[in-house]
Amino acid sequence: MKDEHDAGTAEAGKTPDPITVSGPGGLVVPAGVVLRRTPLRALAGAARGDLLATAGAVLLAAIVLAALLAPWIAPYPEDGGTATHPAQALLSPGAGHWFGTDQVGRDILSRILFGARTSLFIAVAVLALAAAVGVTLGVVAGYAGGWVRDVIMRVTDVFLAFPALLLSLALAVVLQPSVATVVVAIAVTWWPWYARLTAAVAQSVSARGYVDAARCLGVPAPVIVFRHVLPNSVTPVTVQLSLDAGGVILTAAALSYLGLGAHEPTAEWGLMVQQGQSLFTTDWWVVTFPGLAILVTAFSFNVLGEGLRAALDPRGRSR
Amino acid sequence: MPVVHDVSLAVDAGGAGLIGESGSGKTTLARALLGLLRPRAGRITYGTADVTRLRRAERAGFRAAVQPVFQDGGEALNPRMRIGTSIAEGLTGRLRAAERRAAVAELMAGVGLDPALAGRRPHELSGGQRQRAVIARALAVRPRVLVLDEPTSALDVTVQARILDLLERLRGEHGLAYLLITHNLAVVDRLCGTSHVMFAGRVVESGPTGDLLTRPAHPYTLALRDAVPRVGGPPPAASGRTEASPAPSGCPFRRRCPLAVSRCREEAPRPRSLEGRRVACHRAEEVLGGRRG
């Protein structure tokens, strides 16, 4: 579409050539060929033009695959768990250990692969929890309006008033340090964003003709919300989810780094960074590779999210 | 906040038209009639029941009896639902899948839609087909009154004519009464015996549609009529200051009225009877006499 437009303006200075249609029986156009703009086609089209987002998607696919296949592709699968090899402590990167080994002789590459499982699990769990709560409250607030909306949005504002990391920290301190704690602590700070986003979209969807028509037909409110409002409000949320996944992974790493999340012997990137940082001047690889893993994963989610937003938002399609 | 004042109108078998420009309050009024808005004050009666004070059980009956047909802007049908599913929304009771399909097919055939289109989604249909689907959905609950909000505005002229034919036929077949909301005077003429012209939330002229169109008694009705382009005629020109906002005191139309005099600023005209209609204008006699300012 864009190309045709550009071609048109490029010729604008000259007299346009007249368009003639000729041939036996005039112009023949095959009937019934309709190229629909399905989400998949939109994505495929966007992928062609958006190298960064495509790179993010490919990297993410690789990370997910690595996490799933960790027990089979890790060179030392037992190092993902409780194994220790004091004799091989702090070996520098080389043929036997591509990313070197840590203080207790565990292969860092293996632990990064297992750590991908922890990080992705936390990301998925946090986002599922936060989206479930946030979208539900948001859709109800957006459809109901009035005092229901006011109450829900004021509660949301209270949560948003706290800096996210601070609230997570406070919660993580109160609860026992564990992966589950990290998930709950982050989800508590994350859902209000989805509630606010969904409420805004749901409010505009609720004013559309098909919602009014359903109300006039006597369709019960819960059915209207579930059948009409929810499906037409979730697109921006799905984009936001992929944008946020990187942030969740960073926050989870931060909590584990501060000793409030995963603990030994769980393979977790933030924890690995924390354990390696004091060795940075002598054994740089212990802290560097897990740090890079965090960076690459968060970055991939971010560029993919940006790409999705550009592809699915009809107004901002060409960024 | 859109506000509608002092509006009284009756919808009967002859059809009632509600005419006005954007922002005149006609859609607000329609939403109140449909029970989608609660009026601050006033009564809306259906039969003998006050719509704003219905009990739960009565409301279900009213809801089914009065159905909207919104304009097709692509938003009257849920874009994610198949046409057949949208039309079946109002079908109540425990229907088996086959019964539901049959009922939908019958409704579709009734509005001139090929039942084979039931599996399509709205964006796969033409504007006229979508408008027929919207009508079929409303008919599923056997309404007595249809509130038609700009039912043809989004359509080509030829498609408009066919939808109006359909609405005329359905009125006879189903014994329907229409409240037609539009800015298009030609459409009102086809479907409504009585018309009401709204300006700034008030009805400024009411009467038999034919009389209003041939001999308007309110300068605003006259301006609306003259703004309709005619084939072969001169292009319509907006007369008066059409951008002026309604006046807060006196006659709300006076800032745009070519006939406004000092009395119009001091005293708001009250609706009065004149030659078979109700009109709110101090100088209605002169408008009827053909004076244009």
Side-chain angles (χ1 to χ4, degrees):
Chain A
M1 195 124 181
K2 194 167 171 288
D3 292 343
E4 290 165 16
H5 181 71
D6 288 348
T9 48
E11 298 282 323
K14 293 187 280 178
T15 313
D17 291 327
I19 298 172
T20 20
V21 177
S22 57
L27 185 68
V28 181
V29 179
V33 182
V34 183
L35 271 183
R36 280 207 283 134
R37 201 187 131 77
T38 65
L40 209 63
R41 278 214 188 84
L43 287 185
R48 247 175 277 134
D50 195 339
L51 282 177
L52 204 56
T54 313
V58 169
L59 269 175
L60 266 186
I63 293 165
V64 170
L65 216 60
L68 288 176
L69 299 177
W72 296 279
I73 60 170
Y76 304 92
E78 71 281 3
D79 286 0
T82 50
T84 54
H85 317 283
Q88 295 166 29
L90 299 172
L91 296 178
S92 56
H97 301 279
W98 289 1
F99 288 0
T101 61
D102 65 10
Q103 303 93 311
V104 291
R106 292 176 298 199
D107 179 53
I108 289 180
L109 174 58
S110 302
R111 286 187 69 73
I112 285 178
L113 290 174
F114 277 92
R117 305 186 130 197
T118 317
S119 288
L120 291 180
F121 168 77
I122 290 174
V124 169
V126 165
L127 295 177
L129 212 60
V133 175
V135 169
T136 306
L137 288 175
V139 164
V140 170
Y143 177 74
W147 65 267
V148 177
R149 180 190 159 84
D150 288 346
V151 168
I152 293 177
M153 294 329 286
R154 289 305 81 78
V155 172
T156 305
D157 288 344
V158 168
F159 276 87
L160 285 174
F162 289 100
L165 191 59
L166 211 63
L167 189 55
S168 307
L169 272 175
L171 266 168
V173 169
V174 174
L175 303 167
Q176 290 295 315
S178 73
V179 169
T181 298
V182 172
V183 169
V184 171
I186 303 178
V188 164
T189 65
W190 232 274
W191 70 264
W193 296 101
Y194 300 122
R196 184 182 270 189
L197 176 65
T198 311
V201 182
Q203 190 175 20
S204 85
V205 170
S206 299
R208 289 183 191 162
Y210 51 84
V211 174
D212 281 341
R215 287 172 67 192
C216 291
L217 289 169
V219 179
V223 179
I224 294 180
V225 168
F226 194 70
R227 190 189 283 166
H228 295 293
V229 183
L230 182 63
N232 288 295
S233 305
V234 291
T235 305
V237 177
T238 56
V239 172
Q240 195 60 41
L241 284 174
S242 70
L243 272 172
D244 287 351
V248 170
I249 287 176
L250 284 177
T251 311
L255 288 179
S256 294
Y257 172 86
L258 294 169
L260 301 168
H263 49 87
E264 280 289 330
T266 311
E268 209 281 337
W269 296 340
L271 191 61
M272 292 168 76
V273 169
Q274 189 243 319
Q275 291 168 345
Q277 69 170 352
S278 58
L279 303 168
F280 180 63
T281 47
T282 49
D283 310 285
W284 57 269
W285 57 89
V286 183
V287 61
T288 306
F289 290 112
L292 280 176
I294 296 170
L295 180 75
V296 169
T297 310
F299 174 77
S300 305
F301 271 118
N302 265 315
V303 292
L304 176 68
E306 270 305 322
L308 277 179
R309 180 161 68 185
L312 295 176
D313 181 1
R315 284 151 304 179
R317 205 164 292 148
S318 57
R319 276 210 279 186
Chain B
M1 283 299 272
V3 184
V4 176
H5 312 266
D6 306 334
V7 174
S8 301
L9 52 82
V11 182
D12 55 25
L18 200 53
I19 306 159
E21 62 197 13
S22 317
S24 58
K26 48 196 202 305
T27 296
T28 304
L29 185 60
R31 289 175 59 81
L33 287 178
L34 288 162
L36 296 171
L37 288 179
R38 183 181 288 272
R40 185 75 49 82
R43 283 159 55 86
I44 299 166
T45 54
Y46 174 71
T48 54
D50 186 340
V51 172
T52 55
R53 289 183 181 72
L54 287 178
R55 270 189 280 271
R56 208 168 254 278
E58 299 168 320
R59 187 174 296 143
F62 166 75
R63 276 266 154 96
V66 184
Q67 286 297 314
V69 172
F70 295 117
Q71 70 174 307
D72 167 59
E75 300 284 77
L77 294 163
N78 186 336
R80 287 169 195 267
M81 269 166 60
R82 295 178 194 284
I83 297 298
T85 317
S86 282
I87 293 173
E89 241 197 322
L91 296 173
T92 49
R94 293 185 184 282
L95 294 176
R96 263 171 282 157
E99 292 170 331
R100 185 171 288 259
R101 261 200 305 280
V104 169
E106 193 183 325
L107 284 165
M108 290 179 77
V111 297
L113 263 185
D114 181 355
L117 297 175
R120 302 284 185 89
R121 292 206 162 77
H123 70 270
E124 296 173 293
L125 301 188
S126 70
Q129 288 171 328
R130 281 199 293 268
Q131 198 63 64
R132 286 170 194 267
V134 170
I135 295 169
R137 175 178 63 190
L139 292 179
V141 292
R142 304 183 186 288
R144 306 299 315 281
V145 180
L146 286 190
V147 176
L148 308 162
D149 190 354
E150 302 280 11
T152 62
S153 300
L155 305 172
D156 287 350
V157 182
T158 50
V159 181
Q160 277 188 20
R162 298 232 291 280
I163 295 290
L164 293 177
D165 290 344
L166 171 70
L167 287 170
E168 274 193 326
R169 176 166 65 76
L170 292 174
R171 165 152 62 190
E173 284 176 10
H174 296 264
L176 295 167
Y178 290 153
L179 174 68
L180 175 65
I181 296 163
T182 186
H183 59 268
N184 186 336
L185 295 166
V187 173
V188 178
D189 199 24
R190 279 281 305 267
L191 291 177
C192 304
T194 315
S195 284
H196 309 267
V197 179
M198 277 189 89
F199 180 79
R202 293 171 201 274
V203 172
V204 295
E205 184 173 4
S206 301
T209 305
D211 291 359
L212 255 60
L213 292 184
T214 48
R215 283 180 67 218
H218 194 284
Y220 180 57
T221 315
L222 183 69
L224 276 181
R225 190 197 66 177
D226 289 349
V228 177
R230 259 178 295 274
V231 177
S239 56
R241 296 172 51 205
T242 54
E243 77 283 4
S245 57
S249 62
C251 174
F253 188 64
R254 66 184 156 84
R255 289 181 186 164
R256 287 169 53 175
C257 184
L259 296 173
V261 292
S262 60
R263 188 183 170 202
C264 303
R265 190 168 61 242
E266 287 146 15
E267 186 190 342
R270 301 192 56 78
R272 57 201 169 99
S273 296
L274 183 68
E275 297 200 22
R277 65 190 89 184
R278 302 276 296 169
V279 58
C281 176
H282 295 311
R283 305 185 68 186
E285 286 81 0
E286 291 158 85
V287 180
L288 272 175
R291 180 157 178 184
R292 290 172 171 252

